[in-house]
Amino acid sequence: TGSSREMDALTDAFNHLVEGLLSAEADTRAASVGAIRALAAALDARDWYTAGHSERVSTLSVAIGREMHLGDADIDILRLGALLHDIGKIGVPDGVLLKPSKLTNEEFDQIKRHPALGARILRLVPFLSPHLPIVELHHERPDGRGYPFGLRAEQIPLAAAIVHVADAFDAMTSARAYRPGRPMADAMIELHRCKGTDFDPAIVEAFDRALPGVLPDLHHEAALQQLLGRTPA
């Protein structure tokens, strides 16, 4: 009938509209993710010693998140938030960021401003707001001695605490102009040593379980057992 043909046409038009909206949303998201990756790569490119740092921290953070059974939406926030975690370093002078020797206390104070600078940048871009807590709070510590706010364990968002662990691991194992990178086993031992003070214990344990799947060449079990006062089997 004429009415059924009209309904069919309306249904077809609606379906095409939905398909168009979904395609546009996917294109917008892909463009957004691409822009975030380009921004992170541009930041890393300022210092060849830390090139790829943001991508590695993102990969490690996602591995931890999956080990902790986070949902897909939380994993997506974690992935992009980790890519952006150091974006505030755009506002740190090259003379400090690229200094080939250990920083003075005053220079380190400038570095410590990068979470707040990053949060200020993200607040200008509404669709990045879910990632803001990671950028602003990824240097907070369970013992309250982190920055910029000195939050304690229960006050720190889980995603920010996860990125804090992944960031520390990559920082320890990456070379700097003034020191070589530490072995991965040593970095894991340091994370375990600082559980409950610098790092969330549950996140370190999840990282320990997840890391061999991300870096299959890592063999640190004997060193960890020794640290814990046990004899390896």
Side-chain angles (χ1 to χ4, degrees), residues 18-196:
V18 170
E19 289 173 4
L21 289 173
L22 290 175
S23 177
E25 182 180 0
D27 290 344
T28 300
R29 176 172 175 75
S32 299
V33 172
I36 289 171
R37 290 188 180 279
L39 195 58
L43 176 64
D44 288 348
R46 290 181 69 191
D47 181 4
W48 70 268
Y49 277 98
T50 59
H53 170 71
S54 298
E55 285 279 2
R56 291 192 300 271
V57 171
S58 180
T59 298
L60 296 174
S61 296
V62 167
I64 296 170
R66 295 198 186 284
E67 184 64 34
M68 299 184 79
H69 308 293
L70 299 188
D72 289 343
D74 290 331
I75 290 292
D76 283 344
I77 290 173
L78 190 58
R79 178 183 290 109
L80 297 186
L83 275 174
L84 289 166
H85 76 283
D86 272 346
I87 197 63
K89 286 184 178 178
I90 285 176
V92 177
D94 282 348
V96 174
L97 191 64
L98 307 181
K99 185 179 178 181
S101 58
K102 195 169 182 178
L103 298 176
T104 65
N105 290 337
E106 292 77 14
E107 290 165 339
F108 186 55
D109 284 340
Q110 292 187 57
I111 290 286
K112 287 168 67 175
R113 297 188 189 120
H114 79 269
L117 290 173
R120 191 182 309 164
I121 293 170
L122 260 61
R123 287 192 182 98
L124 300 175
V125 188
F127 81 85
L128 294 178
S129 60
H131 313 294
L132 193 150
I134 293 175
V135 172
E136 188 169 37
L137 305 175
H138 70 278
H139 279 294
E140 299 289 351
R141 297 171 37 146
D143 62 4
R145 298 180 64 186
Y147 59 88
F149 301 117
L151 302 182
R152 302 191 75 85
E154 65 280 0
Q155 300 171 310
I156 304 170
L158 178 61
I162 288 174
V163 172
H164 179 52
V165 170
D167 184 33
F169 177 84
D170 192 71
M172 284 188 281
T173 55
S174 298
R176 294 290 189 272
Y178 55 88
R179 64 155 175 83
R182 296 173 64 173
M184 289 183 287
D186 288 357
M188 282 304 305
I189 290 173
E190 185 67 11
L191 292 181
H192 277 274
R193 187 181 70 83
C194 297
K195 286 188 300 189

Side-chain angles (χ1 to χ4, degrees), residues 3 7 59 63 113 157 173 176 197 203 220 229:
S3 61
M7 183 61 72
T59 298
R113 297 188 189 120
T173 55
R176 294 290 189 272
T197 54
I203 294 173
H220 62 278

